[in-house]
Amino acid sequence: SQKIEQNSEALNIQEGKTATLTCNYTNYSPAYLQWYRQDPGRGPVFLLLIRENEKEKRKERLKVTFDTTLKQSLFHITASQPADSATYLCALSISSGSARQLTFGSGTQLTVLP
Amino acid sequence: ETGVTQTPRHLVMGMTNKKSLKCEQHLGHNAMYWYKQSAKKPLELMFVYNFKEQTENNSVPSRFSPECPNSSHLFLHLHTLQPEDSALYLCASSQDAQGVGLGKNIQYFGAGTRLSVL
């Protein structure tokens, strides 16, 4: 069966450290993968997109890697700050019928401790 | 603001009520989506509309009825819901649900409607 797993429900790290979140998937062949941030009581907000033929993508303090052999994406936040505390969702873009769908993982709740 | 507005933000309804959720996007997008988000579960895609045509219905019970009168507005009509339907209902939009071009499938979400069914 198809499955998307994000490494843990919750991750606590100290301010200034690098947070690393994992997204693993099975039985999918996504064209690309997206990462979103969701704050309590809000909808997800798009952060980064990486294509299947890209190994790495960066945006400011964020870095995403995509290994289609391992079927895994890693999401890094360097020099983390308490304001980075949120739930982070990975989403695979797959074709379904006449539309592309995003299939989401259940998220990792990150807490950056001051 | 994301450019996607959902109303109401909170809704409490009995199982025999009929209510509607509204979503409006100001981004000039052609695709709109309804998702259900329950605690500790991934977002579940319910419906997809592309250029006002419904392209996906992910086995959603008929007590949920979507309506898309134009590319900027999306409704979710609710009737005879069950307590297990209590969840956060999120609307999203993207340039194009077929999303062939890079970025066309990036989705912009509203803040959601928190629904409680008593």
Side-chain angles (χ1 to χ4, degrees), chain B residues 2-60:
Chain B
T2 63
V4 180
T5 304
Q6 289 188 245
T7 54
R9 290 295 311 276
H10 301 273
L11 179 62
V12 180
M13 59 187 289
M15 289 193 285
T16 58
N17 291 158
K18 288 185 180 180
K19 296 284 184 184
S20 296
L21 310 185
K22 179 183 176 182
C23 178
E24 183 175 0
Q25 57 96 0
H26 305 278
L27 300 169
H29 288 166
N30 296 303
M32 296 188 79
Y33 310 78
W34 279 117
Y35 288 89
K36 175 183 178 182
Q37 188 174 36
S38 305
K40 307 291 185 185
K41 294 174 77 173
L43 271 75
E44 299 173 47
L45 179 65
M46 300 174 72
F47 301 103
V48 180
Y49 278 83
N50 202 33
F51 294 90
K52 299 189 300 178
E53 297 297 319
Q54 188 181 121
T55 59
E56 293 293 326
N57 174 343
N58 280 356
S59 304
V60 180

Side-chain angles (χ1 to χ4, degrees), chain B residues 11 21-22 28 32 34 46 48 62 66 71 76 81 85 94 96-97 100 104 107 109 113-114:
Chain B
L11 179 62
L21 310 185
K22 179 183 176 182
M32 296 188 79
W34 279 117
M46 300 174 72
V48 180
S62 60
S71 293
L76 188 63
L81 294 192
D85 296 322
S94 71
D96 184 339
V100 175
K104 286 191 176 181
Q107 296 188 12
F109 287 82
T113 296
R114 174 69 62 187

